[in-house]
Amino acid sequence: MRIAISTGGGDAPGLNAVIRAAVLTAVHRGWECFGVRRGFGSLLGESELMPLGPNEVRGITHLGGTILGTSSRGNPLKWRTQRPDGSWEERDRTQELFDSFRANRLDALIAIGGEGTLGIAFDLWKKGLPVVGVPKTIDNDVGGTVATFGFDTAVATATDAIDKLHSTAESHERVMVVEVMGRNAGFIALSAGLAGSADVILIPEIPFDINKVCDKIRRREAEGRHFSIVVVAEGAVPKGGSVSLIDPAHERLGGIADKVAHSIEQMTGKETRSLVLGHLQRGGGPTTFDRVLALRFGAAAVRLVADGKFGMMVALEPPRIVAVPIAEAIATPRRVPLDSDTITTARDLGISFGD
Ligand code: F6P
């Protein structure tokens, strides 16, 4: 067997651990592995496939990023190029990808990615490519799995940042508004906000009322707590408002912390600062939890290939790693359930969701 491995979309800590586990598991079966560089790049004539053996994956479990490189803009089914006049042209490059797959005598593709990449993997599988999926994202929003690797590391990074903000917020008696990633899911904000003792957590699943946010800050002030920490998910939306975008053409979220901070300062008179944690949350080595999950996913993906379970994705269903149809995973993106125990716990602790 000759197996191709690709990493697509935004990187997440743990990608290298998946690659290592998949390569070693395949090599132990006597199979050969090849890395597809920059998303699907090496299957679209951009670069050579990268032969992957034990030497190439030695000592990478703890490393962030991906040794294969990745791309968020390389959908072979809807390949976009910009015309000289600035407009965009879209074309389907599936045939090229299939031709390259055959020319390289590949037998299977392990596609490691989030919602977008798994959607592409599903479309390629429907067209006949033997694909197995591995869910990845710091956002934790892929359906069909209780967790994706990368999330735990991102939450640890965000929590560490919130811990550090506490001392400066308290010294200056300020409100600090910190924006975390997560796209349209509030998992990072909720977990990091709870772990980091935030006073307010704003998530996309609960549209917020800025008056309620200010009420909470005023109440703290009256109780002699002259600083507050507000954690806001990049996809959080004010009641009746819309999501904040910094790049509408590419649907890049951002800017909500600044808006919330501005309103808080105007409405409460409290000095307020905002910061965006951004890609820090995607960087660095994976936590132990993410390493173990990623290694389990990588090895399980090869077992799915061995069993011919194409069109399926590995998933965590504690305590087991199971296989779920990729179709199911992308049909139902995960969101923070409003009745979740974590939300109830945060409310019990007096944290405001701005509702
Ligand atoms: O999906 C992962 C993620 O980091 C989101 O949390 C964030 O909105 C997005 O990717 C950022 O994408 P980019 O790296 O293209 O700016």
Side-chain angles (χ1 to χ4, degrees):
M1 290 281 266
R2 288 164 63 88
I3 310 295
I5 302 173
S6 76
T7 52
D11 64 346
L15 281 168
N16 286 324
V18 177
I19 295 168
R20 179 164 186 270
V23 169
L24 294 182
T25 306
V27 167
H28 286 151
R29 285 174 156 72
W31 299 354
E32 287 177 275
C33 286
F34 300 88
V36 184
R37 295 178 206 257
R38 293 190 69 247
F40 294 100
S42 303
L43 292 175
L44 295 169
E46 274 182 21
S47 52
E48 293 291 303
L49 287 170
M50 178 181 177
L52 292 173
N55 284 340
E56 286 70 30
V57 299
R58 186 161 293 137
I60 64 169
T61 300
H62 65 292
L63 299 180
T66 159
I67 58 167
L68 301 178
T70 187
S71 167
S72 309
R73 311 247 186 278
N75 184 349
L77 292 106
K78 292 180 182 167
W79 192 266
R80 297 183 86 205
T81 36
Q82 201 159 19
R83 298 191 189 95
D85 67 0
S87 63
W88 291 89
E89 182 187 309
E90 227 174 65
R91 68 198 161 97
D92 185 350
R93 297 183 66 189
T94 320
Q95 194 52 51
E96 256 176 88
L97 188 143
F98 273 68
D99 290 346
S100 168
F101 193 82
R102 279 190 207 104
N104 284 291
R105 295 180 291 111
L106 295 168
D107 298 297
L109 170 68
I110 295 178
I112 313 168
E115 217 185 326
T117 303
L118 291 170
I120 297 169
F122 178 62
D123 286 338
L124 293 174
W125 172 71
K126 276 195 301 187
K127 287 174 180 262
L129 205 76
V131 184
V132 154
V134 176
K136 158 246 63 166
T137 169
I138 64 162
D139 306 335
N140 209 22
D141 61 352
V142 175
T145 180
V146 164
T148 52
F149 64 87
F151 171 68
D152 188 62
T153 309
V155 169
T157 301
T159 304
D160 183 46
I162 297 166
D163 286 347
K164 286 177 174 150
L165 289 174
H166 264 91
S167 54
T168 174
E170 190 160 12
S171 304
H172 286 267
E173 301 192 343
R174 283 173 174 159
V175 178
M176 301 293 304
V177 183
V178 52
E179 179 174 314
V180 298
M181 283 185 165
R183 290 204 65 82
N184 302 112
F187 292 106
I188 297 178
L190 180 59
S191 291
L194 181 58
S197 303
D199 304 295
V200 178
I201 300 175
L202 305 178
I203 59 174
E205 292 83 352
I206 305 179
F208 67 88
D209 175 350
I210 194 69
N211 294 300
K212 297 279 170 60
V213 175
C214 292
D215 285 349
K216 170 72 185 176
I217 291 162
R218 287 192 201 100
R219 268 201 309 280
R220 281 178 56 78
E221 196 67 22
E223 288 161 2
R225 310 292 288 149
H226 300 298
F227 73 97
S228 291
I229 303 284
V230 178
V231 175
V232 54
E234 61 181 359
V237 277
K239 268 185 190 153
S242 53
V243 85
S244 180
L245 294 167
I246 37 172
D247 178 3
H250 294 104
E251 285 184 55
R252 280 182 61 211
L253 300 173
I256 187 70
D258 223 19
K259 293 177 185 164
V260 168
H262 183 74
S263 302
I264 291 174
E265 190 159 285
Q266 293 283 306
M267 294 168 70
T268 65
K270 290 274 318 162
E271 197 179 10
T272 306
R273 295 282 190 271
S274 68
L275 79 155
V276 179
L277 289 189
H279 292 80
L280 263 185
Q281 296 157 99
R282 294 224 307 249
T287 57
T288 308
F289 178 88
D290 279 339
R291 288 182 204 190
V292 174
L293 182 60
L295 292 168
R296 293 173 75 197
F297 274 175
V302 173
R303 294 196 294 269
L304 286 192
V305 172
D307 293 343
K309 289 191 175 161
F310 299 113
M312 304 290 277
M313 176 190 94
V314 295
L316 177 66
E317 192 186 280
R320 296 176 312 138
I321 301 291
V322 297
V324 298
I326 298 177
E328 189 185 307
I330 55 177
T332 49
R334 256 162 55 83
R335 297 290 179 261
V336 175
L338 294 184
D339 60 354
S340 92
D341 170 76
T342 317
I343 294 211
T344 312
T345 302
R347 290 196 196 278
D348 282 343
L349 266 58
I351 296 172
S352 164
F353 286 92
D355 60 341

